Amino acid sequence: MPATSPPTPVPAGLSDRELQELDAHWRAADYLAAGQIYLMANPLLREPLRPEHIKPRLLGHWGTSPGLNLVHTHLNRVVKLRDLSAICVWGPGHGGPAVLANSWLEGSYTETYPGVTRDAEGMAKLFKQFSFPGGVPSHVAPETPGSIHEGGELGYALSHAYGAALDNPGLLVACVIGDGEAETGPLAASWHGNKFLDPVHDGAVLPILHLNGYKIANPTVLARLPEDELDALLRGYGHEPLHVSGHDPSQVHRAMAAALDTAVERITAIQRAAREGGATGRPAWPAIVLRTPKGWTGPAQVDGLPVEGTWRAHQVPLDRVRDDPTHLAQLEAWLRSYRPEELFDEHGRPTSAVLACVPEGRRRLGANPHANGGLLLRELPLPPLERFAVTVDKPGTSLHEPTRVLGQLLAQVMADTAARRDFRLVGPDETASNRLQDVYAATGKAWQAATLPVDEHLAHDGRVMEILSEHTCQGWLEGYLLTGRHGLFSCYEAFVHIVDSMVNQHIKWLRTTRRIPWRAPIASLNYLLTSHVWRQDHNGFSHQDPGFVDHVLNKSPEAVRVYLPPDTNTLLAVADHVLRSRDHVNVVVAGKQPCFDWLGLDEARVHCARGAGIWEWAGTDDGSREPDVVLACAGDVPTQEVIAAAGLLRRQLPDLAVRVVNVVDLARLMPAEEHPHGMPDAEFDALFTRDRPVVFAYHGYPWLIHRLAYRRAVHPHLHVRGYKESGTTTTPFDMVVRNDLDRYRLVMDVIDRTPGLAVRAAAVRQRMADQRARHHDWIRAHGTDLPEVEDWTWTG
């Protein structure tokens, strides 16, 4: 620890007996954490330690575990003393041994896994299963009772904590932030969550910044700051810091107990002032800064090198225990230093002193139902779609902005959940830009900071969350969903990539929980990606990237879904489906610009239910024979171009049998054995044929369609057009021309790929090429698209 960090004054808060009980619990947790890393037999050291008692592969992280054990011990005390409902988000998630140890001590682990009993036999199983084949992960994971945060990746703990606290007014969410995690960009942004937390309707978040000084191999930035500089930083974030530091356990116990008591009292005062006194000013919420040595209470030195309080304590301090007698003896001395004979009775059960601070029932951190949010989940009240559907008398003649109509539905959902407060809309400053602003008729934008007369729709109790950090939006929504609520994340398509890694972790969480029977299903994580690649003609190349779909479809098939509704009514049908779904990540790509209406509501429902289907009215395939060519499409702009191309073919080559297939659910293209929504070969062949040319206009990168369909019989005849990184600031139609997705190029593709057509339709092909050249000259002369493109409607 820096020399500039003086010891915290010791307040007289704990009695000697309370101190002894807290220390007993902490020592027991430390013993169990170390035992999980090393032992697979002789858990209570009832005989001298031998090499065969040691695991052959030593895995896990010791360095952070003593500090996490200290926090858990003291949270137990304050929860029990004050009868709090609390959960904890463990940011240093690689400290899995600590959280597992405490869950076993409090009994929630045995209740969840009855085979791991709270005695010597169960302790042996707890030890052996840790980071062992067929056992449990070394990180805090879905398998860990009381967890809502996977510890495999750093940066998201505090945003998860704020998401859990939203609309949970009776919940305290403690959040341990490791000093390595504190260096990440997502964590740095998430400190601003306190500007959005409503003391009336939301719970409280208590950040606990745990500074043990080191990462894997380097010092950490915040731990090397002088205390006054760190204090100023946290005050600048809007917190009142409480500092706890030291090496002597009794002194740190007293200081930590006092800090938690003070923090809870301040939180209670803030909430009472807002809920009973009508206070509306933004409060300064408490935060705790805990400085303790890395690897505290572990080996001070190993092989003559310092370990405790250094980066060497990060993972396994003694790594040659099975083959080095000196290391074996040092491990035994270390484990016996906790005096396990005082902590566990003759049967290996924790003593009454160890358990004195532990809450009971659902008050235990490992048993709080908010950490298993599916237990609290209620069905979302979704209104009838007929109230919002647009009338379609004839396909392709009327236009609507799909997301604007969706905004009307979401506004009704907001209104219908006003009392129960379990639905939130999050996004990076784009709710109105994405045409969802009708929601402001039902709720404002959450905001606790200063307001000015020019501001609009800001509200202390708002349930629209906007912050220009996609990481924070994602973290808020994940925490909200994992604690049993519903939501939607609206984002510009190109910039949702910022959360690629976060969605990957969430998908892994969902995949794992599907195999854990005690984890109840939660509401799906729903993305609405709009302001998409084909209508970012005004913002240019930097705003054009449809690749998030590729990233998601690489992940666990049982958890991921991708939908590309081509018009307003199909978007409504898809939205109704995804908002009802459970345990999925749903990606919905839909435009916000005026878009042609193709299907009435009933037709849209049927089409979305099957995921892909023939649009008979758009083609010239009457079903009497196989089509000469299949024009397929997925996405709103590709659909328009395919329908326009079909119209050109109808007029220019009336004898050509053209089938038009629209795909809403992209996973339908996959084989049935690869994805739950995949089509059997027979169904796929009936739709796309086995040997006829298929020209596929796709919203994103064309090679994704090839990857999804590569096993199909028709694949050698499949030609895909899509975005190929040819973007700039230009006109809407020029975007599709530049990427060879336009109607004229699609007609040329049909002529080039349909056997016997190239010579017979050479004049038609030439006219299409001439139109593309005319387009090129026209937009440079007029700055707008060709009149026949701008004024086009479907004439059928």
Side-chain angles (χ1 to χ4, degrees):
M1 291 178 292
T4 53
S5 176
T8 303
V10 178
L14 293 177
S15 69
D16 290 343
R17 179 176 177 177
E18 288 174 320
L19 175 61
Q20 292 169 3
E21 291 170 342
L22 288 171
D23 190 64
H25 185 278
W26 179 56
R27 285 188 288 121
D30 284 347
Y31 179 82
L32 295 171
Q36 289 174 79
I37 294 173
Y38 284 99
L39 300 183
M40 65 177 185
N42 191 18
L44 286 163
L45 303 182
R46 298 275 168 81
E47 56 181 298
L49 200 58
R50 299 194 301 271
E52 58 265 30
H53 299 152
I54 309 301
K55 295 179 179 181
R57 298 177 70 233
L58 300 179
L59 302 170
H61 295 76
W62 167 249
T64 191
S65 292
L68 297 186
N69 285 331
L70 182 85
V71 172
H72 206 301
T73 296
H74 282 267
L75 285 174
N76 281 343
R77 170 191 170 271
V78 77
V79 166
K80 182 175 182 179
L81 181 66
R82 299 170 183 272
D83 191 29
L84 301 176
S85 176
I87 63 173
C88 188
V89 176
W90 304 98
H94 47 263
V99 184
L100 291 168
N102 282 278
S103 177
W104 186 84
L105 282 175
E106 71 181 20
S108 61
Y109 200 85
T110 299
E111 290 172 11
T112 307
Y113 303 102
V116 185
T117 50
R118 198 161 48 154
D119 53 20
E121 183 181 354
M123 188 189 299
K125 291 180 180 179
L126 179 77
F127 286 2
K128 184 176 180 180
Q129 70 178 11
F130 179 79
S131 284
F132 202 82
V136 300
S138 64
H139 294 122
V140 178
E143 294 91 341
T144 309
S147 171
I148 65 164
H149 177 81
E150 169 30 71
E153 185 176 13
L154 302 178
Y156 318 131
L158 191 53
S159 59
H160 283 161
Y162 276 106
L166 296 172
D167 296 324
N168 262 330
L171 187 67
L172 171 66
V173 186
C175 179
V176 184
I177 302 159
D179 45 3
E181 180 175 33
E183 296 178 3
T184 66
L187 196 287
S190 62
W191 286 107
H192 294 300
N194 57 7
K195 286 80 172 176
F196 299 84
L197 196 72
D198 176 15
V200 176
H201 296 97
D202 301 331
V205 174
L206 177 59
I208 302 173
L209 180 59
H210 180 212
L211 302 179
N212 60 33
Y214 293 91
K215 304 185 284 286
I216 294 176
N218 287 286
T220 55
V221 172
L222 295 189
R224 293 293 175 92
L225 295 183
E227 188 169 286
D228 58 349
E229 185 177 343
L230 178 60
D231 190 86
L233 176 66
L234 293 175
R235 290 185 186 277
Y237 278 130
H239 283 286
E240 285 192 14
L242 301 166
H243 295 268
V244 177
S245 62
H247 185 278
D248 176 67
S250 62
Q251 178 263 325
V252 175
H253 279 309
R254 293 187 185 276
M256 188 64 178
L260 271 173
D261 284 341
T262 301
V264 172
E265 287 164 6
R266 289 184 183 177
I267 288 169
T268 302
I270 288 168
Q271 292 176 335
R272 183 177 294 120
R275 296 172 186 180
E276 301 174 13
T280 58
R282 178 167 64 90
W285 296 91
I288 294 176
V289 179
L290 173 64
R291 294 180 188 259
T292 58
K294 195 175 186 77
W296 194 17
T297 73
Q301 289 190 342
V302 175
D303 297 331
L305 297 173
V307 175
E308 183 187 28
T310 78
W311 52 269
R312 293 188 182 92
H314 183 75
Q315 290 178 304
V316 180
L318 295 160
D319 59 357
R320 300 195 308 277
V321 184
R322 285 175 68 98
D323 53 20
D324 186 329
T326 303
H327 278 207
L328 181 64
Q330 196 170 1
L331 173 62
E332 183 167 5
W334 169 20
L335 292 175
R336 291 192 185 278
S337 73
Y338 297 114
R339 307 191 298 280
E341 66 280 1
E342 299 176 5
L343 307 173
F344 307 98
D345 66 17
E346 67 274 16
H347 304 291
R349 295 189 292 251
T351 65
S352 58
V354 168
L355 299 180
C357 66
V358 175
E360 296 180 356
R362 289 187 166 192
R363 291 304 196 223
R364 293 169 298 169
L365 293 181
N368 193 304
H370 290 92
N372 188 2
L375 297 175
L376 306 175
L377 187 66
R378 293 178 287 179
E379 291 291 328
L380 193 63
L382 291 170
L385 297 185
E386 286 80 3
R387 292 168 55 181
F388 311 98
V390 300
T391 301
V392 183
D393 295 322
K394 181 182 178 183
T397 55
S398 61
L399 299 106
H400 286 87
E401 296 167 316
T403 59
R404 187 182 296 276
V405 177
L406 176 64
Q408 299 167 14
L409 182 147
L410 296 177
Q412 188 61 53
V413 174
M414 283 289 190
D416 292 342
T417 56
R420 47 188 269 183
R421 295 184 66 91
D422 61 350
F423 180 78
R424 294 251 175 172
L425 176 64
V426 305
D429 192 35
E430 295 159 359
T431 303
S433 176
N434 288 334
R435 308 288 197 270
L436 302 175
Q437 63 267 35
D438 279 1
V439 295
Y440 297 143
T443 185
K445 292 179 282 189
W447 187 254
Q448 306 299 320
T451 59
L452 299 174
V454 72
D455 295 329
E456 292 184 337
H457 308 303
L458 302 182
H460 286 288
D461 62 351
R463 286 182 291 136
V464 176
M465 309 285 291
E466 289 193 336
I467 186 173
L468 200 49
S469 164
E470 285 84 356
H471 288 120
T472 305
C473 291
Q474 173 91 11
W476 283 345
L477 185 55
E478 286 180 356
Y480 199 68
L481 299 175
L482 287 163
T483 48
R485 281 74 64 74
H486 306 259
L488 178 72
F489 184 177
S490 166
C491 188
Y492 277 25
E493 181 186 52
F495 302 122
V496 74
H497 272 298
I498 293 170
V499 302
D500 277 1
S501 187
M502 293 185 75
V503 69
N504 182 37
Q505 295 296 328
H506 190 73
I507 291 168
K508 289 180 177 181
W509 178 283
L510 294 177
R511 182 181 184 276
T512 302
T513 56
R514 282 170 173 261
R515 292 157 175 78
I516 301 175
W518 58 270
R519 285 278 184 188
I522 63 171
S524 296
L525 172 56
N526 299 311
Y527 292 96
L528 173 65
L529 306 187
T530 185
S531 299
H532 62 56
V533 58
W534 301 110
R535 290 310 311 268
Q536 281 296 315
D537 44 274
H538 59 301
N539 278 323
F541 197 29
S542 64
H543 285 53
Q544 298 162 1
D545 187 336
F548 188 70
V549 166
D550 302 58
H551 174 71
V552 167
L553 283 177
N554 279 327
K555 307 305 174 184
S556 303
E558 67 264 47
V560 299
R561 306 286 186 267
V562 175
Y563 302 99
L564 292 97
D567 71 351
T568 296
N569 286 333
T570 52
L571 175 58
L572 290 175
V574 166
D576 183 80
H577 169 72
V578 301
L579 290 172
R580 296 181 191 275
S581 69
R582 300 288 182 268
D583 278 352
H584 291 153
V585 168
N586 296 308
V587 180
V588 181
V589 185
K592 68 181 185 182
Q593 301 293 347
C595 171
F596 281 107
D597 304 315
W598 307 111
L599 303 178
L601 179 60
D602 290 341
E603 296 170 305
R605 281 175 164 148
V606 171
H607 183 53
C608 291
R610 62 180 170 234
I614 299 169
W615 284 5
E616 296 181 49
W617 53 266
T620 54
D621 165 31
D622 61 7
S624 61
R625 60 185 178 91
E626 280 199 273
D628 296 314
V629 64
V630 176
L631 276 177
C633 48
D636 52 6
V637 168
T639 296
Q640 177 172 317
E641 293 308 301
V642 159
I643 300 300
L648 289 169
L649 290 168
R650 181 188 295 266
R651 292 191 297 273
Q652 302 286 340
L653 299 167
D655 296 331
L656 190 70
V658 178
R659 174 179 293 177
V660 173
V661 174
N662 181 264
V663 179
V664 178
D665 179 351
L666 212 53
R668 294 288 283 153
L669 300 177
M670 300 174 71
E673 59 270 22
E674 296 294 334
H675 195 284
H677 287 195
M679 273 191 264
D681 283 338
E683 185 178 352
F684 189 95
D685 294 345
L687 195 61
F688 290 98
T689 77
R690 293 179 60 86
D691 57 4
R692 299 305 168 103
V694 178
V695 177
F696 200 126
Y698 170 55
H699 173 86
Y701 294 107
W703 30 92
L704 176 64
I705 302 300
H706 283 290
R707 181 166 66 83
L708 298 180
Y710 82 99
R711 293 185 186 177
R712 306 297 191 177
V714 80
H715 186 256
H717 311 282
L718 175 64
H719 179 61
V720 186
R721 292 293 188 181
Y723 183 67
K724 54 184 184 180
E725 290 289 310
S726 183
T728 186
T729 303
T730 185
T731 68
F733 188 66
D734 192 51
M735 276 296 299
V736 292
V737 172
R738 293 173 67 90
N739 289 276
D740 291 323
L741 185 69
D742 61 282
R743 59 199 67 179
Y744 305 121
R745 170 59 73 181
L746 296 176
V747 171
M748 294 164 68
D749 286 337
V750 167
I751 294 170
D752 292 343
R753 296 175 183 277
T754 303
L757 198 57
V759 174
R760 181 161 59 91
V764 176
R765 190 187 192 285
Q766 181 173 294
R767 288 196 292 273
M768 298 300 106
D770 290 346
Q771 276 292 84
R772 284 168 56 86
R774 179 168 168 257
H775 154 81
H776 183 275
D777 295 337
W778 179 274
I779 64 170
R780 280 154 183 78
H782 300 277
T784 60
D785 285 321
L786 291 167
E788 55 264 49
V789 171
E790 282 203 334
D791 300 333
W792 179 88
T793 60
W794 171 249
T795 58

